[in-house]
Amino acid sequence: MIVPASLLGQAANPAQSLGGNGHVPVMLAEVLAALTPHAGGIYVDCTFGEGGYTKALLGAAECRVFAVDRDPRAIALAHTLAAGCDGRLDVLEGCFGDVEELLAARGVSAAQGIVFDLGVSSAHIDEAELGFSFRFDGPLDMRMGASGETAADLVARLPEQELARIIFEYGDERCARRVASAIVEARAVEPILRTGRLASIVRRVVPMSKDGIDPATRTFQALRMAVNDEPGELVRGLAASERLLAPGGHLAMVAFHSFEDRIVKDFLRRRAGNLPGPSRHEPMAIGGVARCEPSFRLAARRPLMPSDAEIASNPRSRSARLRVAERTPAAPILVS
Ligand SMILES: C[S@@+](CC[C@H](N)C(=O)[O-])C[C@H]1O[C@@H](n2cnc3c(N)ncnc32)[C@H](O)[C@@H]1O
């Protein structure tokens, strides 16, 4: 074990040893196998969270890890871990869309592996005051970081059509128009400031699905993505990874929603020369990309999924999709 055992933790959930709320890293073995950390390598964990991947990387090889997170609480946790890591862990507070600039500020311009574990951590969901969950009543906030517009601001400001688009596109909600109309009606009576009120507005117009998933799930997911500009961050993070990864380096991306997985799939297939044409979520890739030398080689056409055993022990992993690709020596595909 290369990181001190006291920091890696002997408990069933290592995050608890760092004072985290117990986020269980998803598909950890598969992510580690994809990144194949080696001594002297530089690895970037773009979504530190409670540090599950970072700790595994540090424990697997005498490598250096840069941990990025936009949430100041995750950053505080990362600093605690870094204090016991003999300078092998650097902590970078900020958005992974800016990962190139964050690394450049530390004099780093290339990495052997980059991992993303998209979305929020269990700590976000379980903390009512952050307003991510419809299970607990709290302020309608949903910001992962400390600045920017809250979900309450968006719900108060956006026109009905834009609300419907966000809820449909990011949330895969078939009743998006009905939800948007109910929100607009309700906000005319009184501002929507609490998660509980928003959840009950949505539940009134969206029927319960057969699988028993709360009707508010998809609307909350969509608003969270909009508040944190998650699609934009993902596109910028992917493009930055292409520029940062050294030839032979690996990208590992864990996505939980079909909308995000589609962005990753299209980006990688286009970079691997398998998909012609532009994507409106990827403005950098307009025209001619298929004719360029592939900058990534896909590990597999289809994403890896968690095993039945993992789903049974960590139900949150059930919708995870892991896509892995190896950087080729070709220049990054930069189309402005
Ligand atoms: C699913 S959790 C990661 C969990 C982590 N793999 C672990 O094992 O503990 C996602 C983390 O990424 C952070 N995050 C999400 N989007 C981000 C972004 N655009 N930039 C930086 N951090 C982000 C969140 O604050 C959260 O802490």
Side-chain angles (χ1 to χ4, degrees):
M1 192 68 56
I2 293 164
V3 173
S6 59
L7 282 171
L8 279 170
Q10 304 295 335
N13 184 346
Q16 283 160 347
S17 67
L18 283 178
N21 283 353
H23 181 94
V24 181
V26 169
M27 300 184 77
L28 179 60
E30 293 87 342
V31 165
L32 212 54
L35 294 178
T36 56
H38 61 262
I42 290 183
Y43 298 86
V44 187
D45 180 351
C46 280
T47 49
F48 176 82
E50 294 187 13
Y53 295 166
T54 289
K55 284 180 276 182
L57 285 164
L58 290 166
E62 193 71 34
C63 60
R64 197 165 164 203
V65 176
F66 287 84
V68 180
D69 208 294
R70 72 197 295 182
D71 179 348
R73 283 154 306 199
I75 290 300
L77 217 52
H79 280 300
T80 311
L81 180 62
C85 287
D86 299 330
R88 290 201 295 125
L89 173 59
D90 283 77
V91 182
L92 305 173
E93 181 167 5
C95 289
F96 58 62
D98 303 323
V99 63
E100 243 180 323
E101 292 77 7
L102 293 171
L103 288 170
R106 302 288 173 92
V108 173
S109 58
Q112 278 64 49
I114 303 183
V115 59
F116 295 79
D117 179 12
L118 300 176
V120 287
S121 70
S122 305
H124 285 126
I125 301 288
D126 294 339
E127 174 80 58
E129 286 309 299
L130 301 179
F132 284 101
S133 178
F134 45 80
R135 284 189 285 129
F136 319 105
D137 186 41
L140 190 56
D141 191 321
M142 299 197 192
R143 290 171 303 172
M144 292 184 204
S147 59
E149 277 191 309
T150 64
D153 294 332
L154 283 193
V155 157
R157 176 177 70 75
L158 292 179
E160 183 173 334
Q161 255 193 334
E162 180 62 0
L163 276 173
R165 182 195 68 78
I166 286 171
I167 295 167
F168 179 72
E169 241 180 70
Y170 300 174
D172 267 338
E173 172 58 84
R174 276 180 298 160
C175 306
R177 283 215 194 106
R178 239 185 285 159
V179 174
S181 157
I183 288 174
V184 168
E185 216 173 276
R187 79 186 180 191
V189 178
E190 194 188 340
I192 305 167
L193 301 174
R194 309 281 303 175
T195 54
R197 176 143 183 260
L198 178 63
S200 64
I201 291 165
V202 178
R203 287 182 192 127
R204 275 202 292 274
V205 294
V206 179
M208 179 71 97
S209 58
K210 282 195 199 107
D211 50 17
I213 289 178
D214 191 302
T217 309
R218 292 177 292 276
T219 297
F220 271 64
Q221 171 195 310
L223 285 173
R224 189 205 82 206
M225 284 189 173
V227 164
N228 297 288
D229 184 22
E230 292 178 48
E233 277 293 309
L234 179 53
V235 168
R236 288 188 289 278
L238 283 165
S241 300
E242 185 187 27
R243 292 188 292 268
L244 284 169
L245 277 171
H250 291 95
L251 172 69
M253 177 70 75
V254 181
F256 292 85
H257 303 301
S258 52
F259 178 78
E260 293 172 327
D261 185 51
R262 220 174 302 136
I263 295 176
V264 180
K265 181 177 80 176
D266 288 355
F267 173 90
L268 287 176
R269 288 177 70 186
R270 204 170 284 115
R271 268 25 186 207
N274 296 342
L275 192 67
S279 155
R280 73 198 170 90
H281 299 300
E282 199 193 318
M284 298 274 292
I286 294 169
V289 168
R291 286 192 295 277
C292 297
E293 196 67 21
S295 57
F296 277 104
R297 212 174 352 257
L298 305 186
R301 262 187 62 108
R302 296 191 178 282
L304 286 172
M305 319 252 212
S307 65
D308 291 345
E310 177 165 3
I311 295 171
S313 70
N314 179 18
R316 185 186 166 274
S317 70
R318 87 183 161 264
S319 49
R321 301 285 175 270
L322 167 63
R323 291 188 187 267
V324 177
E326 183 181 319
R327 187 72 174 81
T328 71
I333 295 170
L334 297 173
V335 184
S336 56

